[in-house]
Amino acid sequence: MARPLSDRTPGPLLLGGPAGAPPSGGALLGLRSLLQGNSKPKEPASCLASRDTPSPVDPDTVEVLMTFEPDPADLALSSIPGHETFDPRRHRFSEEELKPQPIMKKARKVQVPEEQKDEKYWSRRYKNNEAAKRSRDARRLKENQISVRAAFLEKENALLRQEVVAVRQELSHYRAVLSRYQAQHGTL
């Protein structure tokens, strides 16, 4: 009894059926189009109907397997006290957050005479000092988060570049195998 197509495991490179039998047209057409860089192989309609095609992958959901252990002190400096610890793997900054900020000139200090330093003046000075401290702390927190995220992305980028090199080498190997097959058995 023959197994259904979905239960069969294809042979290496999908190049043929039983020994001595010519390779099937659909498998070779699909292989040829993939190796030539076409995104979708051209296969007969009968093959398409019985084939399970994978659904597209969302790039944001792909997890790169790597070890990234940032310094706990860096994580503490990039996390808001009392809130969840900053996770550089999941956090995404908006374009607006990453835009360079213009350098602003400070206004000249205006000396207020001692006789005008009343309760209202000191209240405003206190509020302004507190607001300036909050602003500096928020800026420092954001800079720390960006630096931890940048370190994570640098490591991830290096790992992905190594993976691209390995995949390109594998593709080169399979193209060489295919060219040897074509030299021996004719073009596909």
Side-chain angles (χ1 to χ4, degrees):
M1 181 169 113
R3 294 185 309 190
L5 275 177
S6 61
D7 291 346
R8 294 183 195 164
T9 54
L13 292 177
L14 299 173
L15 289 179
S24 67
L28 290 179
L29 284 173
L31 181 61
R32 178 187 300 144
S33 61
L34 285 174
L35 289 174
Q36 290 174 347
N38 298 342
S39 60
K40 293 184 180 179
K42 297 174 184 150
E43 295 183 350
S46 62
C47 290
L48 290 175
S50 64
R51 197 174 106 185
D52 291 331
T53 56
S55 54
V57 177
D58 179 20
D60 291 335
T61 62
V62 174
E63 287 287 326
V64 178
L65 300 176
M66 63 182 249
T67 56
F68 178 73
E69 297 299 325
D71 185 17
D74 291 342
L75 284 181
L77 289 173
S78 59
S79 300
I80 300 172
H83 288 82
E84 187 177 329
T85 304
F86 176 74
D87 185 3
R89 293 172 187 85
R90 291 185 295 141
H91 189 83
R92 303 282 190 266
F93 290 101
S94 69
E95 285 188 37
E96 189 64 33
E97 289 176 303
L98 295 175
K99 279 188 178 176
Q101 299 298 315
I103 297 175
M104 307 279 284
K105 278 193 168 186
K106 289 175 109 178
R108 286 188 173 238
K109 288 187 176 183
V110 177
Q111 294 293 334
V112 177
E114 285 295 323
E115 56 272 358
Q116 290 181 356
K117 295 182 179 177
D118 58 354
E119 195 61 36
K120 181 180 172 186
Y121 169 83
W122 289 114
S123 170
R124 287 174 47 197
R125 288 297 329 131
Y126 177 77
K127 286 180 184 178
N128 183 266
N129 289 344
E130 290 299 312
K133 182 181 182 311
R134 282 193 308 270
S135 175
R136 285 191 299 269
D137 290 345
R139 180 179 44 83
R140 195 174 303 117
L141 176 74
K142 182 67 66 182
E143 288 172 354
N144 291 341
Q145 288 176 345
I146 289 172
S147 66
V148 171
R149 175 81 173 147
F152 166 74
L153 291 174
E154 288 285 336
K155 186 166 184 178
E156 183 182 52
N157 191 24
L159 189 70
L160 290 173
R161 286 181 183 277
Q162 290 174 350
E163 193 174 324
V164 166
V165 167
V167 168
R168 285 182 178 170
Q169 288 174 341
E170 187 178 359
L171 176 63
S172 175
H173 168 74
Y174 287 131
R175 283 186 173 162
V177 168
L178 178 64
S179 66
R180 284 196 302 266
Y181 178 84
Q182 286 178 335
Q184 194 174 34
H185 299 289
T187 57
L188 300 176

